[in-house]
Amino acid sequence: MHPLRELRRFTTAERWVHRSTAALMGACLATAAVLYVGPLAVLVGRRSLVAQVHLVAGIALPLPLLLGLLSRAVRHDAHRLGRFLPVDSVWLRARDRRTADLPVGKFNAGQKLNAALSLGAILLMLGTGLTMRYANQWPLTVRTGSTFVHDWVAFFLTVLVLGHVRLALRDPQARAGLRTGAVPVGWALREHRGWAEEELGSGGGAVALDPNRAGRDTEVDQQL
């Protein structure tokens, strides 16, 4: 790891979109658990309030991304997440991705798939949720189908979020990048070499690294 430099990975707008989406997603999943799990429903009570919070959080869930698209950096990220490159196919097939030395871009294939699946699930949940909320406006078959899809997509989304959190907990450098906006050069070159070399070549993303933080990051790199 380079001892004196780090790369700017996320702008304030990018971090805001991620945090806001995570908070709303957490509210949706937590309230859904209270509404559908009997013991939790008894413990929490106030079902009508929980249902209202669930509805508001669900409707608001796409808003951070929509507002974030006003930022050029967020639009650039969305473009990158939507492009599946040849290196992504190699990354998915690699047994040990950390030693494969692949020129991975800013987002690896797993992150791209997670973003696509999450976005699709959010849109499905929003559509079916609104159908359930205004059930009298729809035929019985539509209401029944919406309930079925909503429940199963919610289960899938819960598994997806838990997997995402589990992987994040295993990578403190990635979490630091979302918290501070910058990552050590060593981590960037190891995990996202294509993006790191692009940033280092342009010189626009390199910033000074606090010496105390550099020591902590070096220790983490050694542990990993």
Side-chain angles (χ1 to χ4, degrees), residues 81 88 91 104-113 191-192:
L81 285 167
D88 296 319
W91 186 92
V104 176
K106 186 174 184 179
F107 302 105
N108 60 43
Q111 292 165 330
K112 292 178 180 181
L113 289 174
E191 301 289 344
H192 301 271

Side-chain angles (χ1 to χ4, degrees), residues 11-30:
T11 65
T12 300
E14 292 167 300
R15 303 201 304 277
W16 179 87
V17 169
H18 186 271
R19 291 171 184 172
S20 301
T21 302
L24 289 170
M25 180 67 74
C28 285
L29 295 180

Side-chain angles (χ1 to χ4, degrees), residues 6-23 73-74 77 81 106-108 111 114 161 164-184 187 192 195 213 217:
E6 59 183 8
L7 293 178
R8 185 67 61 191
R9 183 160 173 80
F10 296 114
T11 65
T12 300
E14 292 167 300
R15 303 201 304 277
W16 179 87
V17 169
H18 186 271
R19 291 171 184 172
S20 301
T21 302
V74 174
D77 274 359
L81 285 167
K106 186 174 184 179
F107 302 105
N108 60 43
Q111 292 165 330
N114 178 75
V161 169
H164 180 68
V165 171
R166 178 176 177 271
L167 291 174
L169 291 175
R170 294 169 55 186
D171 196 338
Q173 305 288 14
R175 296 200 310 275
L178 281 170
R179 186 176 65 254
T180 67
V183 293
W187 178 90
H192 301 271
W195 168 75
R213 180 176 169 187
D217 289 338

Side-chain angles (χ1 to χ4, degrees), residues 90-138:
V90 178
W91 186 92
L92 285 173
R93 294 195 301 268
R95 293 186 176 182
D96 190 347
R97 301 181 180 105
R98 286 196 165 182
T99 60
D101 194 30
L102 298 173
V104 176
K106 186 174 184 179
F107 302 105
N108 60 43
Q111 292 165 330
K112 292 178 180 181
L113 289 174
N114 178 75
L117 292 172
S118 297
L119 180 59
I122 288 172
L123 294 177
L124 276 174
M125 294 290 286
L126 178 62
T128 54
L130 289 174
T131 301
M132 294 164 61
R133 173 63 179 82
Y134 302 102
N136 293 334
Q137 310 298 320
W138 304 95

